[in-house]
């Protein structure tokens, strides 16, 4: 509908507008600005070459509905990325259609549900560890499935005996079990093969939440652990932009025998015609092509690393996380001993006598130019501080971060009010998070009133 009166917009010259947005951009923090140790989210650097490739006119100018014969190059990229992901994951085939990790979870669960329905045995229960990402139970609920929680042991791993009890009680109601391995504590599940065997014996499928795949890349594959369906966050493990609501990509892979349930359309290579084409199938759960620009970046990343160097991703991410864990354990409480994988979790400060909380530490980090790690997750600990350095980060960067963390711990003892009132050097100080969420200021004119 056309406006009845002109919009109330400020009158500005070009130079003022340019300066405004340039200054505004300096108030934002991204992985290009500094260390971004956000646990469980893998804030990996996106090489500039990936952006250049995705912006090429030959790709950017494509229309999703144009005939296959006019976009053979794009279909070849799509097909090759499917094949690459399948090999890295140890699975049969992938779809690149889902547009985010949670979208991938939902797609995977829809595949699992369709599989059971096709076998004439609809199942409604999904087993999920209490340490899981919050999207796991949410995706199951959206899919119309019922969540059953599996307890964790004191070391953060799945309580296999509780799982056994649940499988005995629920029997043929279990559609699947969802797992993240390593889990949200950064701990590898040592009994994963036993777990997958138990669920398969009960007739269920195993779903792998690929959010933490960065830790395993090049070392081991979910398919080899017995997982039947999984999603991969291209915007985490394969170095494409992450955060800010998109764009994302959550490809879903399946083991042999489940390919017919993958969402369509699907890109295949026609050996007879020697060309790529798009096909559909009657059993598909239905979807459409995903965020192609993100796929281009992921494929460029895989090609840049190559078969040999991709094997270094998991080991280097694990090395960095364990280095931080051991360097900080004197000042920050380590609730679980032993080797972690790509991330480490502390339970706040060792010395809690001055009342400085994890939130205070996170806010104080902003004064030193660092984005805070993930805080208050996982929910297994009251003062969780989850730190994930990616394989890209140098020892010099990590050492500087560790020095600041030690300095904040010292400040918490000598001047606790300094830490509790942080941040001090940012454009705005500490805000009321609840009020900001309930009454956000989103318009130019409201800020003037």
């Amino acid at each position: 509908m056309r406006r009845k009166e002109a919009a109330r917009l400020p009158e500005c010259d070009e130079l003022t507008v340019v300066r405004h947005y340039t200054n505004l951009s300096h108030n934002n923090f991204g992985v290009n600005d500094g260390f971004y140790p956000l646990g469980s989210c893998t804030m990996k650097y996106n090489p500039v070459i990936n952006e250049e490739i995705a912006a090429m006119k030959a790709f950017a100018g494509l229309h999703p509905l144009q005939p296959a014969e006019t976009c053979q190059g794009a279909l070849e990229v799509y097909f090759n990325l499917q094949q690459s992901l399948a090999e890295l994951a140890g699975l049969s085939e992938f779809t690149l259609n889902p547009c985010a990790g949670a979208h991938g979870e939902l797609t995977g669960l829809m595949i699992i549900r369709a599989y059971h329905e096709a076998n004439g045995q609809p199942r409604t229960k999904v087993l999920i560890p209490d340490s899981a990402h919050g999207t796991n139970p949410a995706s199951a609920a959206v899919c119309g499935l019922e969540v059953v929680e599996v307890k964790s042991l004191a070391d953060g791993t799945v309580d296999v005996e509780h799982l056994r009890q649940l499988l005995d009680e629920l029997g043929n109601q279990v559609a699947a079990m969802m797992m993240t391995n390593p889990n949200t504590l950064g701990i590898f599940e040592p009994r994963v093969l036993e777990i997958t065997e138990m669920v398969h014996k009960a007739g269920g499928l195993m779903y792998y939440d690929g959010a933490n795949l960065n830790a395993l890349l090049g070392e081991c594959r979910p398919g080899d652990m017995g997982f039947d369906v999984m999603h991969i966050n291209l915007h985490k493990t394969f170095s494409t932009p992450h955060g800010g609501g998109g764009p994302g990509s959550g490809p879903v892979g399946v083991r042999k025998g489940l390919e017919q349930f993958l969402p369509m359309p699907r890109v295949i290579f026609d050996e007879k015609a020697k060309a790529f084409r798009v096909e559909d199938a009657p059993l598909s759960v239905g979807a459409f092509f995903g965020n192609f620009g993100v796929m281009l970046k992921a494929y460029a990343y895989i090609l840049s690393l190559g078969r040999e160097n991709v094997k270094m991703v998991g080991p280097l991410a694990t090395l960095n996380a364990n280095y931080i864990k051991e360097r900080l354990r004197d000042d920050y409480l380590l609730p679980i001993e032993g080797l972690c994988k790509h991330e480490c979790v502390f339970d706040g400060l060792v010395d809690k006598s001055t009342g400085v909380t994890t939130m205070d530490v996170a806010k104080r980090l902003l004064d030193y130019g660092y984005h805070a790690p993930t805080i208050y997750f996982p929910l297994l600990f009251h003062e969780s501080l989850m730190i994930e350095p990616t394989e890209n980060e140098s020892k010099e960067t990590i050492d500087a971060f560790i020095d600041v963390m030690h300095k904040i711990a010292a400040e918490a003892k000598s001047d606790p009010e300094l830490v509790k009132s942080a941040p001090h050097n940012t454009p705005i100080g500490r805000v009321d998070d609840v009020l900001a969420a309930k009454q956000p200021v989103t318009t130019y004119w409201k800020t003037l009133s």
Side-chain angles (χ1 to χ4, degrees):
M1 190 174 72
R2 189 174 180 180
R3 279 183 175 274
K4 293 182 179 179
E5 57 184 52
R8 296 179 64 203
L9 299 176
E11 293 289 337
C12 296
D13 59 89
E14 179 180 340
L15 183 56
T16 299
V17 172
V18 170
R19 285 172 175 167
H20 167 73
Y21 284 107
T22 300
N23 290 328
L24 199 62
S25 71
H26 295 162
N27 293 336
N28 192 28
F29 189 94
V31 72
N32 290 352
D33 300 297
F35 188 40
Y36 209 131
L38 201 62
S40 200
C41 280
T42 314
M43 301 300 287
K44 189 183 291 189
Y45 174 64
N46 178 46
V48 175
I49 190 174
N50 296 2
E51 298 285 356
E52 293 176 351
I53 290 171
M56 289 172 64
K57 290 183 179 180
F59 290 128
L62 291 173
H63 191 283
L65 294 178
Q66 69 186 73
E69 60 268 22
T70 67
C71 53
Q72 284 291 297
L75 294 180
E76 183 176 357
V77 168
Y78 198 100
F79 180 82
N80 288 346
L81 181 56
Q82 288 178 164
Q83 300 293 103
S84 297
L85 295 179
E87 184 175 347
L88 289 166
L91 294 172
S92 175
E93 193 168 334
F94 265 80
T95 174
L96 309 182
N97 298 8
C99 295
H103 191 194
E105 286 179 12
L106 179 60
T107 302
L109 289 168
M110 290 172 69
I111 290 170
I112 290 170
R113 185 167 185 167
Y115 163 80
H116 289 301
E117 290 175 351
N119 288 339
Q121 191 182 38
R123 295 176 173 227
T124 59
K125 310 286 187 185
V126 178
L127 307 178
I128 302 178
D130 57 12
S131 63
H133 292 111
T135 51
N136 286 188
S139 297
V142 170
C143 194
L145 300 169
E146 184 180 338
V147 175
V148 179
E149 187 176 85
V150 183
K151 295 177 182 176
S152 294
L153 298 171
D155 65 359
T157 60
V158 170
D159 185 338
V160 176
E161 296 313 311
H162 184 231
L163 173 61
R164 194 186 313 277
Q165 178 186 336
L166 290 173
L167 290 171
D168 289 341
E169 292 174 0
L170 300 175
N172 61 8
Q173 299 179 65
V174 176
M177 179 174 180
M178 301 181 78
M179 279 184 67
T180 307
N181 191 30
N183 60 27
T184 54
L185 295 167
I187 306 297
F188 188 87
E189 296 282 352
R191 300 176 70 177
V192 63
L193 294 178
E194 182 181 355
I195 290 170
T196 56
E197 183 180 359
M198 288 167 58
V199 174
H200 286 155
K201 189 174 181 180
L205 298 181
M206 288 297 301
Y207 183 90
Y208 182 88
D209 177 347
N212 295 345
L213 183 62
N214 200 54
L216 304 185
L217 199 60
E219 279 294 300
C220 55
R221 308 186 302 176
D224 298 335
M225 299 178 208
F227 288 94
D228 306 286
V229 183
M230 73 170 291
H231 84 269
I232 293 177
N233 299 72
L234 290 189
H235 51 285
K236 292 185 182 182
T237 307
F238 293 99
S239 192
T240 66
H242 180 242
S249 184
V252 172
V254 296
R255 64 158 169 79
K256 193 170 183 58
L258 295 175
E259 299 95 337
Q260 67 269 34
F261 300 104
L262 284 169
M264 297 296 158
R266 178 165 53 183
V267 176
I268 64 169
F269 183 68
D270 188 328
E271 290 286 353
K272 185 177 181 180
K274 299 299 179 184
F276 296 93
R277 63 181 175 86
V278 179
E279 72 165 11
D280 218 324
L283 293 177
S284 165
V285 298
F288 198 63
F289 290 115
N291 288 325
F292 185 62
V294 176
M295 299 170 202
L296 284 168
K297 297 171 190 179
Y299 187 51
Y301 178 72
I302 291 172
L303 291 179
S304 297
L305 288 177
R307 187 181 295 272
E308 292 302 318
N309 291 325
V310 77
K311 296 178 181 179
M312 298 172 63
V313 172
L316 287 176
T318 298
L319 176 65
N320 285 348
N322 281 277
Y323 179 66
I324 288 177
K325 174 175 68 72
E326 294 302 320
R327 288 283 311 276
L328 291 183
R329 63 185 301 157
D330 290 341
D331 281 332
Y332 294 86
L333 184 62
L334 189 64
I336 296 178
E337 294 286 343
L339 187 73
C340 66
K341 292 300 176 184
H342 62 305
E343 60 194 10
C344 56
V345 180
F346 295 97
D347 191 7
L349 289 160
V350 170
D351 185 354
K352 295 180 170 58
S353 63
T354 60
V356 173
T357 66
T358 285
M359 175 66 81
D360 299 328
V361 172
K363 295 294 187 182
R364 184 60 174 151
L365 270 169
L366 301 178
D367 285 331
Y368 289 101
Y370 291 97
H371 194 284
T374 296
I375 60 174
Y376 299 112
F377 180 82
L379 303 177
L380 298 176
F381 309 117
H382 184 61
E383 290 288 328
S384 288
L385 187 70
M386 180 191 284
I387 304 171
E388 179 181 359
T390 65
E391 74 283 355
N392 310 73
E393 299 294 347
S394 68
K395 183 176 181 295
E396 289 77 13
T397 295
I398 293 174
D399 281 337
F401 170 76
I402 289 169
D403 290 343
V404 167
M405 289 291 284
H406 283 310
K407 187 171 184 177
I408 293 173
E411 291 173 343
K413 296 178 183 178
S414 63
D415 192 357
E417 289 308 313
L418 176 70
V419 184
K420 291 179 182 180
S421 57
H424 305 283
N425 304 329
T426 51
I428 59 172
R430 190 170 307 202
V431 299
D432 185 328
D433 294 328
V434 176
L435 183 64
K438 289 183 175 180
Q439 300 178 21
V441 177
T442 59
T443 65
Y444 169 81
W445 289 107
K446 189 171 181 180
T447 62
L448 300 182
S449 60

